[in-house]
Amino acid sequence: MTMNNAGGRRRPPTIHDVAREAGVSRGTVSRVLNGGHYVSPPALEAVNAAIRKTGYVVNRHARSLITGRSDSVGFLLTEPQERFFEDPNFNVLLRGCTQALAAHDIPLLLMLAGTEDERRRIKRFITAGHLDGVLLVTSHSADPVAEELHKAGVPVVQCGKPMRSGSKVSYVAADDRDGARDMVRHLLSLGRRRIGIVTGPLDSPGGVDRLAGYKEVLTEAGVGIDERLVVSGDYSRAAGEAGAERLLAQAPDLDAVFVASDLMALGALTALRRAGRRVPEDVAVGGFDDSIAATEATPPLTTIRQPYDRISAEMVRVLLAQLGGEDPAAVILPTELVRREST
């Protein structure tokens, strides 16, 4: 920092200090700070060295007045607050997005909007220009927030496919249907034939696609669909427990359960233990996500791995591309079967 002679106090280094230290013009420093375009490699190296030496930090507020951008991005979770702390997937996505944006020196603002009033307030905040773009995470893709922000001109990237066909909102998603197909094929390969499912929410593409994959494989295998083996859930642990209880009541001869999230699978394991069913000897159990819940389960859970690191990195990449003027994009990433002791 530089000494202020009037009061003997140190003042933060300025762009002029960086230019003087680097031996270049203020304009060159400004070009480096705005992406390094039209700057020679020696000048770029000199400016970066001067920034490190002086400890210069960009005044984001001042720059936003010039560029009209906030240089910050929002991570919007339209779920109740308790779900953020219960479901480990949200934290994994948040951490991945934070790290990906940090590489571009862009801070990430976490926003939770579990009620209609909260969503309305946050939409006002976003559309007032406080954020350059939004990374949206929700279990219910019928939620209109993504479409409303998109129509307001706010760049948005959603985690998971939009429910509405023809949507122009960018998204990054795992291949839910193919992952479900892999899990059911695995259960069939073990000789299981009475395979139940606790679905995800059926107002979301993930819930719909995982159920579709389950039904497709059973139909192809000639096993057929018994609706007594199909119950719905909402990705919460309580829903998994209640769903497994319903399956046992409706189809006590079931020998496997595909649970559409690891967190729900923890609840299903609880219900099976309470009913005296051994896992996997009596009932094989498969989950979906490969979250920390899968490895902490007893027994450890066979599951479908969603590539959360790639999902978060792609969400950031697609959003930054939009901020750079590119059109909305859709990315679907492959899943992977992870075998553990529950099957």
Side-chain angles (χ1 to χ4, degrees):
M1 300 180 76
T2 304
M3 186 70 72
N4 183 324
N5 293 329
R9 299 176 62 187
R10 293 181 179 273
R11 64 170 175 81
T14 68
I15 192 171
H16 300 284
D17 298 321
V18 175
R20 184 168 55 251
E21 178 67 32
V24 300
S25 69
R26 181 183 180 281
T28 298
V29 177
S30 180
R31 286 194 293 275
V32 171
L33 295 174
N34 286 284
H37 304 294
Y38 310 111
V39 179
S40 68
L44 179 62
E45 183 178 348
V47 170
N48 285 329
I51 289 172
R52 290 192 295 270
K53 183 174 181 180
T54 61
Y56 174 76
V57 177
V58 175
N59 185 326
R60 293 187 180 275
H61 176 67
R63 187 162 74 178
S64 69
L65 294 176
I66 298 170
T67 64
R69 290 176 55 170
S70 69
D71 283 337
S72 58
V73 166
F75 183 96
L76 175 56
L77 178 64
T78 58
E79 297 285 341
Q81 288 191 21
E82 57 269 22
R83 287 294 305 280
F84 176 73
F85 296 103
E86 179 188 37
D87 193 327
N89 297 327
F90 296 141
N91 286 282
V92 173
L93 284 168
L94 175 62
R95 183 176 66 247
C97 291
T98 301
Q99 292 172 342
L101 284 166
H104 300 273
D105 195 27
I106 298 175
L108 185 65
L109 176 65
L110 171 63
M111 299 175 291
L112 303 178
T115 68
E116 183 55 39
D117 284 344
E118 289 171 345
R119 286 191 284 272
R120 190 161 42 245
R121 287 194 297 271
I122 284 176
K123 281 185 288 186
R124 283 201 304 267
F125 174 81
I126 295 170
T127 55
H130 296 294
L131 298 170
D132 292 329
V134 173
L135 302 168
L136 175 65
V137 180
T138 177
S139 296
H140 303 275
S141 296
D143 189 326
V145 171
E147 295 290 344
E148 291 170 355
L149 292 175
H150 177 71
K151 289 177 182 177
V154 178
V156 181
V157 179
Q158 180 169 306
C159 181
K161 293 190 296 185
M163 194 73 173
R164 189 173 68 83
S165 61
S167 171
K168 297 187 182 302
V169 174
S170 291
Y171 68 87
V172 178
D175 194 332
D176 293 294
R177 184 177 299 219
D178 197 55
R181 289 171 61 89
D182 284 344
M183 177 58 74
V184 179
R185 286 194 191 102
H186 171 63
L187 295 172
L188 287 170
S189 75
L190 301 174
R192 311 293 172 139
R193 290 296 180 269
R194 295 290 288 164
I195 303 173
I197 182 173
V198 182
T199 76
L202 296 180
D203 63 346
S204 72
V208 170
D209 284 349
R210 294 173 200 181
L211 175 59
Y214 161 88
K215 289 185 172 182
E216 285 171 6
V217 173
L218 291 181
T219 301
E220 291 167 1
V223 175
I225 308 301
D226 184 343
E227 293 300 331
R228 293 174 298 175
L229 289 167
V230 179
V231 300
S232 61
D234 63 2
Y235 293 144
S236 70
R237 184 168 184 161
E241 186 172 351
E245 288 176 345
R246 286 177 56 199
L247 286 174
L248 289 169
Q250 295 172 182
D253 61 337
L254 89 166
D255 56 15
V257 183
F258 168 36
V259 191
S261 82
D262 292 344
L263 189 62
M264 283 201 301
L266 292 183
L269 289 170
T270 298
L272 290 168
R273 278 194 297 269
R274 187 164 54 238
R277 303 296 181 94
R278 298 169 300 162
V279 176
E281 293 86 354
D282 300 326
V283 181
V285 177
F288 202 107
D289 290 331
D290 197 28
S291 67
I292 191 172
T295 55
E296 291 183 345
T298 304
L301 195 63
T302 293
T303 187
I304 297 297
R305 176 175 294 157
Q306 294 204 63
Y308 283 114
D309 289 344
R310 288 188 62 193
I311 289 172
S312 54
E314 283 295 298
M315 288 176 69
V316 169
R317 183 190 65 79
V318 171
L319 182 63
L320 294 180
Q322 282 190 68
L323 294 176
E326 294 186 19
D327 292 334
V331 179
I332 297 180
L333 298 171
T335 58
E336 176 187 356
L337 175 68
V338 180
R339 301 181 184 184
R340 297 192 180 96
E341 288 88 334
S342 68
T343 58

